[in-house]
Amino acid sequence: QVQLVESGGGLVQAGDSLRLSCAASGRTFSSYAMGWFRQAPGKEREFVSGISRGGGYTYYADSMKGRFGISRDNAKNTVYLQMNSLKPEDTAVYYCAAGDLRAYSNRYYDKDEYDYWGQGTQVTVSS
C-alpha cells in the first residue's frame, strides 16, 4: 500500500505560480512511477504530467508543456508539480497518483494505469 497526500493548492490570480507537493508513505516510493491529474467540476479527470521512478523521464499534457514542471525527490518520498503562468482554466482539484509504469511507457496519461491516489488539493485561479 502507498498513501499519498497532496498539498500546496490555493487561490491565486491568473499569471501566478504554485507548487504542489505529494508526500508518499508506505511501500518504497521509488518503486512507483508518479502522475498528476486534475478534475474540474463537471469534467473528466485528465492527465497533467507524469514522471518515471528515477525521474529521468517526464511527460506532459500538451496544454501544460512549457508552463508546468514535474519533479521528484526519492529521498523525501515526494513528487512536485510546479505550475507557472496559471490560467483560470487550470482551476481544478489536482490529484497525485502512483503506478507500476515503465519509464518509457506511453501510458502515463491513462488514469487506469495508476493504483494509488491521493485525496486531491484544490487549485483556483481567478481572472
Side-chain angles (χ1 to χ4, degrees), residues 14 31 39 114:
S31 298
Q39 188 166 17
Y114 296 84

Side-chain angles (χ1 to χ4, degrees), residues 35-81:
W36 285 97
F37 289 76
R38 69 184 186 185
Q39 188 166 17
K43 294 189 176 182
E44 294 281 328
R45 189 169 298 191
E46 66 172 346
F47 172 72
V48 174
S49 184
I51 188 166
S52 59
R53 294 176 180 86
Y57 290 78
T58 58
Y59 303 88
Y60 298 93
D62 287 345
S63 61
M64 288 74 168
K65 287 180 182 176
R67 296 193 301 127
F68 291 9
I70 190 170
S71 61
R72 66 188 296 165
D73 186 338
N74 286 345
K76 295 183 177 179
N77 288 358
T78 303
V79 62
Y80 305 97
L81 183 69

Side-chain angles (χ1 to χ4, degrees), residues 49-124:
S49 184
I51 188 166
S52 59
R53 294 176 180 86
Y57 290 78
T58 58
Y59 303 88
Y60 298 93
D62 287 345
S63 61
M64 288 74 168
K65 287 180 182 176
R67 296 193 301 127
F68 291 9
I70 190 170
S71 61
R72 66 188 296 165
D73 186 338
N74 286 345
K76 295 183 177 179
N77 288 358
T78 303
V79 62
Y80 305 97
L81 183 69
Q82 177 68 42
M83 305 187 295
N84 300 322
S85 302
L86 283 162
K87 305 174 182 179
E89 51 263 44
D90 294 318
T91 295
V93 177
Y94 283 72
Y95 299 89
C96 70
D100 184 18
L101 288 149
R102 296 183 183 273
Y104 45 83
S105 171
N106 63 354
R107 306 290 297 180
Y108 277 78
Y109 68 90
D110 187 349
K111 59 183 180 293
D112 293 334
E113 294 288 337
Y114 296 84
D115 302 306
Y116 304 100
W117 291 82
Q119 83 290 346
T121 185
Q122 177 70 48
V123 172
T124 303

